[in-house]
Amino acid sequence: PPHDFSQQLYERYREAFNAYIISDVLPALREKQGEYMLKELVKRWDNHKIMVRWLSRFFNYLDRYYIQRHNLAQLKDVGMLCFRDLVYSELKKNVKDAVLALVDKERDGEQIDRALVKNILGIFVEMGMGGMEAYEQDFEAHLLTNTAAFYSRKASVWIDEDSCPDYLVKAEDCLKREKERVGHYLHASSESKLLKEVEKEVLAAYETQLLEKEHSGCAVLLRDDKTEDLARMFRLFKRIPAGLPPVADIFKKHVEKEGVTLVKQAEDAAGAKKDPSAKDKAAAAAQSTE
């Protein structure tokens, strides 16, 4: 004092970020669309973090004294908030749409830049400033809705075109690929929610139709002793609520039917052994009746 300019420095520190974002960052992002916008955003976010790191070091004195005494946001947080308030709030919808378009392309068999998607989703996480709200509300909620719609469309075609075993092979494969997708670029917390949507649309929605398919349902697989297909059926329907009781009911009826057949065969064999001429007598009686 009287030459303490901490307040003015703190204010100008924030103004420096805002001025840079408005003059350089936003114009560069606004002129691009889709994947090109995503690449530009990753570059601008990386540059911004470097700027935050060094400017906050230059004015470290403010963090140690002025900010603590006045209970203000730390320099690092100020820099992040400037980006969130000016860039993220404006572009998050377009960014979300562009990422979902890439996810759909990959689901349809096309190759995408997974590293780019991972970096973009990292921004959603970082915008939560230590929490997951931004990622969950601004991206994950839309991903889950999109996933449900995508697999609802696919399953409605598969159920008409495929046999029960072929359908279940596709269901198992898409669950595997969604799990891998989490490993490649989605946040780990999305895995259980994502798989639940797939299970609901692909398995739970069509369980009865699959089990009762005329030439390939559960009863046919049991009759033909298709152990591999039955094992897959068990693995998949075990994943959904109340998925196994319908399978168990069909298995029970199969066992009862087989049991009755075996008992009848045993009874017939025992009767023939006890009275070998019984067959001949029955045949003679039938002939005399004629």
Side-chain angles (χ1 to χ4, degrees), residues 193-204:
K193 304 173 197 174
L194 190 67
L195 296 181
K196 188 176 178 182
E197 292 297 326
V198 181
E199 290 160 4
K200 184 173 70 177
E201 298 300 334
V202 174
L203 297 174

Side-chain angles (χ1 to χ4, degrees), residues 4-18 55-56 59-68 70-79 81-82:
D4 181 0
F5 298 102
S6 296
Q7 181 181 348
Q8 290 91 324
L9 282 174
Y10 186 76
E11 289 170 359
R12 289 194 183 187
Y13 173 84
R14 183 192 299 274
E15 288 167 6
F17 282 114
N18 288 341
L55 273 185
S56 62
F59 299 104
N60 185 249
Y61 168 84
L62 296 176
D63 257 343
R64 287 187 287 127
Y65 298 101
Y66 174 74
I67 287 170
Q68 286 192 19
H70 293 81
N71 198 27
L72 299 168
Q74 291 191 318
L75 296 179
K76 179 185 174 186
D77 292 339
V78 170
L81 287 168
C82 289

